Amino acid sequence: MKPEETVNTGLDGVVATSTSVSCLDTVAEQIVVRGYDLIDLATHAQYLDVAHLLLFGSLPTAHERNGFAEQIWNEMSLPEEVETLLGLVPPPMAPMDVLRTALSFLAGFDPVLRENTEPANREKAVRLLAKLPLVVAHGYRLQHGLPTVALDRGIGYAANFLRLMTGETPSSEAAALFDMTLSCYSEHELPNSTFTARVIASTLSDLYGAMVGAVASLKGPLHGGANEAAADMLVAIGDPSKARAYVLDKLGRKERIMGFGHRVYMRRIDPRAALLEGHIEPLAQSVPGGVELLETYRIVAQTMRDEKGLHPNADFPIGLIYHLLGIPRPLYTPIFFVARAAGLGAHVIEQHAQNRLYRPRAQYEGPRGLSVVPASEGNAQ
């Protein structure tokens, strides 16, 4: 590395690639996905529409929507061997580890695994959109001695995903809100997991390998898991009257309040959080204790704005929403990954189509000039 070159620890501010998939426009305060505002998409389109946009480059026509849904439905099954594997995982194994293991194993059953053409990559990505909800839900239920849940042809993708996890068919309102969270999680430019997937894809590794790497990246608590932590916090606070004191105590001890701030947005509001906050109240009113939890949520958010100037990111409202929907807490981050699979697939397709191997440099700060001393004369230095 040349002496005059600057080290950007964590790659802060470094533009690592060009993309037509998405961008975070911090001036317009928009998340742009293939030309559309993600908030507009989440409000007026369904998750599978957004997935089609990401993978095929356009929102589907009515005919394409029906065909895409049918394609997803026809792939919504797991090989018997994968179901067997899911039944063998030990109880302490984290759901993200189960997902990573099953995803790697599932690769062996894909007929176009080794093909990196755009059509083959799209085929693999669509197949994963169909199978990942089953991997997540069946893995968790088998691991905990619960029966797996059958799919219902009469309800949509998001409703089926919820049903697979909770064992109950959700109301149309609950399914629609869950669908909105999937759209909000679907794509977000170049976070760690997406960058990881692109780095792996740049070696011309296959889409499954890139996805497995993304799972491992998302498992880390500095990337995924904030939605789980946010829900845990809200439940732990309990009484809304205790919320402000709880936050002040945590801040006084220099502890993080999960679900606030963002590496890109910094102190700006996350548009996804702003959208979702406006849709929680009807769900909260339908769940015992939900109104109190929502009030706790609001007090925590206001306290963070007052004390730190920080706004919620998407994980804070989504943590509350998933709790109110009755989703098991350990599945929150796997759900994030399932939703993000559409965006990850789009990035891998793009990386393979305009590939250049990632090979950054590092600034060496270790010693120099050391000499090897033969073992017979003493320790090597």
Side-chain angles (χ1 to χ4, degrees):
M1 182 171 176
K2 299 176 182 177
E4 67 273 13
E5 291 179 328
T6 302
V7 176
N8 294 85
T9 304
L11 301 182
D12 279 342
V14 174
V15 177
T17 191
S18 60
T19 181
S20 63
V21 177
S22 73
C23 78
L24 306 186
D25 187 334
T26 56
V27 176
E29 296 188 352
Q30 276 190 331
I31 304 166
V32 180
V33 176
R34 295 209 186 276
Y36 295 88
D37 182 346
L38 178 62
I39 303 309
D40 192 26
L41 290 168
T43 303
H44 298 108
Q46 296 179 357
Y47 171 72
L48 287 187
D49 297 330
V50 180
H52 188 282
L53 171 66
L54 284 163
L55 294 175
F56 293 90
S58 63
L59 286 173
T61 63
H63 177 72
E64 288 171 336
R65 172 187 277 188
N66 293 335
F68 190 53
E70 186 70 17
Q71 189 179 2
I72 293 287
W73 179 261
N74 290 338
E75 291 286 356
M76 286 192 91
S77 63
L78 295 177
E80 183 179 342
E81 295 88 343
V82 176
E83 292 278 7
T84 300
L85 173 70
L86 292 173
L88 294 174
V89 298
M93 194 171 185
M96 286 296 281
D97 292 330
V98 176
L99 175 58
R100 183 197 65 217
T101 302
L103 179 56
S104 185
F105 189 50
L106 192 59
F109 298 89
D110 197 300
V112 292
L113 173 63
R114 293 177 178 82
E115 297 179 31
N116 289 340
T117 64
E118 289 189 35
N121 276 336
R122 287 196 182 96
E123 181 182 333
K124 285 180 279 190
V126 170
R127 193 171 288 121
L128 284 176
L129 285 179
K131 297 184 185 304
L132 285 173
L134 293 162
V135 170
V136 169
H138 285 193
Y140 181 83
R141 294 183 72 85
L142 289 169
Q143 192 178 17
H144 291 82
L146 300 170
T148 58
V149 179
L151 293 163
D152 183 347
R153 185 67 186 255
I155 60 178
Y157 180 87
N160 262 306
F161 193 1
L162 261 180
R163 174 184 161 87
L164 289 170
M165 293 184 289
T166 67
E168 299 179 1
T169 300
S171 67
S172 57
E173 294 80 10
L177 183 54
F178 182 61
D179 186 279
M180 183 179 284
T181 70
L182 298 181
S183 292
C184 286
Y185 269 155
S186 64
E187 169 56 20
H188 210 225
E189 196 195 82
L190 206 62
N192 195 288
S193 52
T194 305
F195 183 56
T196 298
R198 292 196 72 132
V199 169
I200 293 171
S202 79
T203 70
L204 298 185
S205 183
D206 61 80
L207 182 138
Y208 282 83
M211 291 282 197
V212 170
V215 172
S217 170
L218 187 59
K219 181 191 174 187
L222 293 184
H223 186 12
N227 50 17
E228 299 177 29
D232 283 337
M233 176 184 65
L234 293 172
V235 172
I237 292 171
D239 190 334
S241 66
K242 300 177 181 178
R244 181 171 174 81
Y246 179 96
V247 174
L248 293 176
D249 178 64
K250 294 269 284 186
L251 294 177
R253 288 186 278 118
K254 308 296 183 184
E255 295 181 15
R256 293 185 65 186
I257 303 293
M258 300 302 289
F260 287 85
H262 191 274
R263 185 77 163 262
V264 176
Y265 302 121
M266 302 300 285
R267 295 181 182 273
R268 301 178 182 89
I269 191 166
D270 183 335
R272 301 168 300 174
L275 169 68
L276 293 167
E277 284 179 343
H279 290 80
I280 298 175
E281 190 161 356
L283 176 62
Q285 291 176 345
S286 70
V287 176
V291 173
E292 291 76 15
L293 276 175
L294 178 56
E295 181 60 21
T296 298
Y297 173 101
R298 288 168 172 163
I299 294 171
V300 170
Q302 186 61 53
T303 304
M304 288 297 289
R305 282 191 288 267
D306 293 343
E307 299 296 320
K308 303 295 290 184
L310 292 176
H311 297 275
N313 57 42
D315 290 317
F316 194 48
I318 287 178
L320 175 56
I321 290 167
Y322 287 177
H323 175 79
L324 295 173
L325 289 172
I327 300 171
R329 190 88 80 249
L331 297 186
Y332 292 12
T333 305
I335 293 169
F336 183 152
F337 180 80
V338 174
R340 185 59 57 82
L344 289 167
H347 279 278
V348 171
I349 289 168
E350 185 177 71
Q351 184 66 45
H352 281 158
Q354 56 183 45
N355 192 56
R356 180 169 174 78
L357 179 70
Y358 282 98
R359 187 18 177 124
R361 297 294 310 281
Q363 178 171 288
Y364 178 69
E365 296 181 349
R368 293 175 181 269
L370 301 181
S371 300
V372 176
V373 177
S376 60
E377 299 180 17
N379 293 329
Q381 299 294 321

Coordinates of all heavy atoms in Angstrom, one line a residue, residues 7 52 54 75 80 116 134 162 170 175 187 189 198 235 277 308 311 313 316 318 334 337 356 365 371-372 378:
V7 N -6.5 5.0 4.9 CA -7.2 3.8 5.4 C -8.6 4.2 5.9 O -8.7 5.1 6.7 CB -6.4 3.2 6.6 CG1 -7.2 2.0 7.2 CG2 -5.1 2.7 6.2
H52 N -40.1 -9.7 -7.6 CA -40.0 -9.7 -9.1 C -39.3 -8.5 -9.7 O -38.5 -8.7 -10.6 CB -41.5 -9.7 -9.6 CG -41.6 -10.0 -11.1 ND1 -41.3 -9.0 -12.1 CD2 -41.9 -11.1 -11.8 CE1 -41.5 -9.5 -13.3 NE2 -41.8 -10.8 -13.2
L54 N -36.9 -6.8 -8.2 CA -35.5 -7.0 -7.9 C -34.8 -8.0 -8.8 O -33.7 -7.8 -9.4 CB -35.3 -7.4 -6.4 CG -35.5 -6.3 -5.4 CD1 -35.7 -6.8 -4.0 CD2 -34.3 -5.4 -5.4
E75 N -42.6 -24.4 -6.3 CA -41.3 -24.7 -5.7 C -41.4 -24.8 -4.1 O -40.4 -25.0 -3.5 CB -40.3 -23.6 -6.1 CG -39.9 -23.7 -7.5 CD -39.0 -24.8 -7.9 OE1 -38.6 -25.6 -6.9 OE2 -38.7 -25.0 -9.1
E80 N -37.0 -34.5 0.8 CA -37.1 -35.3 2.0 C -35.8 -35.3 2.8 O -35.8 -35.3 4.1 CB -37.5 -36.8 1.6 CG -37.7 -37.7 2.8 CD -38.1 -39.1 2.4 OE1 -38.5 -39.2 1.2 OE2 -38.0 -40.0 3.2
N116 N -23.8 -20.0 -13.7 CA -23.9 -18.6 -13.2 C -24.5 -17.6 -14.2 O -24.3 -16.4 -14.1 CB -22.5 -18.1 -12.8 CG -22.0 -18.8 -11.5 OD1 -22.8 -19.3 -10.7 ND2 -20.7 -18.8 -11.3
L134 N -40.0 -22.4 4.4 CA -40.1 -23.7 4.9 C -38.9 -24.1 5.7 O -39.1 -24.8 6.8 CB -40.3 -24.7 3.7 CG -41.6 -24.6 2.9 CD1 -41.5 -25.3 1.6 CD2 -42.8 -25.2 3.7
L162 N -46.3 -16.8 7.7 CA -46.8 -16.6 9.0 C -47.4 -17.9 9.6 O -47.1 -18.3 10.7 CB -47.8 -15.5 9.1 CG -47.3 -14.1 9.5 CD1 -48.5 -13.1 9.5 CD2 -46.7 -14.1 10.9
P170 N -53.3 -16.4 9.7 CA -53.4 -15.0 10.1 C -54.6 -14.3 9.5 O -55.1 -14.7 8.4 CB -52.1 -14.3 9.7 CG -51.7 -15.1 8.5 CD -52.1 -16.5 8.7
A175 N -51.6 -10.4 7.9 CA -50.7 -10.9 6.7 C -50.2 -9.7 5.9 O -49.1 -9.7 5.5 CB -51.5 -11.8 5.9
E187 N -34.4 -5.1 0.4 CA -33.2 -4.6 -0.2 C -32.8 -3.3 0.4 O -33.6 -2.5 0.8 CB -33.5 -4.4 -1.7 CG -32.4 -3.6 -2.5 CD -31.0 -4.2 -2.4 OE1 -30.9 -5.4 -2.0 OE2 -30.0 -3.5 -2.6
E189 N -29.3 -1.6 -0.4 CA -28.0 -1.2 -1.0 C -26.9 -2.2 -0.7 O -26.8 -3.3 -1.2 CB -27.7 0.2 -0.7 CG -26.6 0.8 -1.6 CD -26.0 2.1 -1.0 OE1 -25.1 2.0 -0.2 OE2 -26.5 3.2 -1.5
R198 N -21.6 -10.3 -2.5 CA -21.0 -9.8 -3.7 C -19.5 -10.2 -3.8 O -19.0 -10.6 -4.8 CB -21.2 -8.3 -3.9 CG -22.6 -7.9 -4.2 CD -22.7 -6.5 -4.7 NE -22.2 -6.4 -6.1 CZ -22.9 -5.8 -7.1 NH1 -24.1 -5.3 -6.9 NH2 -22.4 -5.8 -8.3
V235 N -40.6 -5.9 26.0 CA -41.3 -6.8 26.9 C -40.7 -6.7 28.3 O -41.4 -6.7 29.3 CB -41.2 -8.3 26.4 CG1 -41.7 -9.2 27.4 CG2 -42.0 -8.4 25.1
E277 N -44.4 2.5 11.6 CA -45.0 3.1 12.8 C -46.4 3.4 12.7 O -47.2 3.3 13.6 CB -44.2 4.3 13.3 CG -42.8 3.9 13.9 CD -42.0 5.1 14.4 OE1 -42.3 6.2 13.9 OE2 -41.1 4.9 15.2
K308 N -30.6 11.6 22.8 CA -29.5 11.3 21.8 C -29.7 11.8 20.4 O -28.8 11.7 19.6 CB -29.3 9.7 21.8 CG -29.0 9.1 23.1 CD -27.7 9.5 23.7 CE -26.5 9.0 23.0 NZ -25.3 9.3 23.7
H311 N -33.2 8.4 15.9 CA -34.6 7.9 15.5 C -34.5 6.4 15.3 O -33.5 5.8 15.1 CB -35.0 8.5 14.2 CG -35.1 10.0 14.2 ND1 -36.3 10.7 14.6 CD2 -34.2 11.0 13.9 CE1 -36.1 12.0 14.5 NE2 -34.9 12.2 14.1
N313 N -34.6 2.8 13.6 CA -34.5 2.2 12.3 C -35.5 1.2 12.1 O -36.4 1.0 13.0 CB -33.0 1.7 12.1 CG -32.7 0.6 13.2 OD1 -33.5 -0.2 13.5 ND2 -31.5 0.7 13.7
F316 N -36.7 -1.5 15.0 CA -37.4 -1.2 16.2 C -38.9 -1.5 16.0 O -39.5 -2.3 16.8 CB -37.2 0.2 16.6 CG -37.6 0.5 18.0 CD1 -37.3 -0.3 19.1 CD2 -38.4 1.7 18.3 CE1 -37.7 -0.1 20.4 CE2 -38.8 1.9 19.6 CZ -38.5 1.1 20.6
I318 N -40.3 -3.2 13.6 CA -40.5 -4.6 13.2 C -40.4 -5.6 14.4 O -41.2 -6.6 14.4 CB -39.5 -5.0 12.1 CG1 -39.9 -4.3 10.8 CG2 -39.4 -6.5 11.8 CD1 -39.0 -4.5 9.6
P334 N -33.9 -14.7 11.0 CA -34.1 -15.6 9.8 C -35.1 -15.0 8.9 O -35.0 -15.1 7.7 CB -34.5 -16.9 10.4 CG -33.8 -17.0 11.7 CD -33.9 -15.6 12.3
F337 N -33.6 -12.5 6.8 CA -32.8 -13.0 5.7 C -33.7 -13.5 4.5 O -33.4 -13.3 3.4 CB -31.9 -14.2 6.1 CG -31.1 -14.8 5.0 CD1 -30.0 -14.3 4.6 CD2 -31.6 -16.0 4.3 CE1 -29.3 -14.8 3.5 CE2 -30.9 -16.5 3.3 CZ -29.7 -15.9 2.9
R356 N -15.9 -8.2 -11.4 CA -14.5 -7.9 -11.1 C -14.2 -8.4 -9.7 O -14.9 -8.1 -8.8 CB -14.1 -6.4 -11.2 CG -12.6 -6.1 -11.0 CD -12.3 -4.7 -11.3 NE -10.9 -4.4 -11.0 CZ -9.8 -4.8 -11.6 NH1 -9.9 -5.5 -12.7 NH2 -8.6 -4.5 -11.2
E365 N 0.9 -2.5 9.9 CA 1.4 -1.8 11.1 C 2.2 -2.6 12.0 O 2.4 -2.3 13.2 CB 0.2 -1.2 11.8 CG -0.6 -0.1 10.9 CD -1.7 0.5 11.7 OE1 -2.1 0.0 12.8 OE2 -2.3 1.5 11.2
S371 N 14.9 -11.0 12.3 CA 15.7 -12.0 11.8 C 15.4 -13.4 12.4 O 15.1 -13.5 13.6 CB 17.2 -11.7 12.0 OG 17.6 -10.5 11.4
V372 N 15.5 -14.4 11.6 CA 15.2 -15.8 12.1 C 16.5 -16.3 12.8 O 17.6 -16.2 12.3 CB 14.9 -16.7 10.9 CG1 14.7 -18.2 11.4 CG2 13.6 -16.2 10.2
G378 N 18.4 -20.6 20.0 CA 17.5 -19.8 20.9 C 16.2 -19.6 20.2 O 15.9 -20.2 19.1

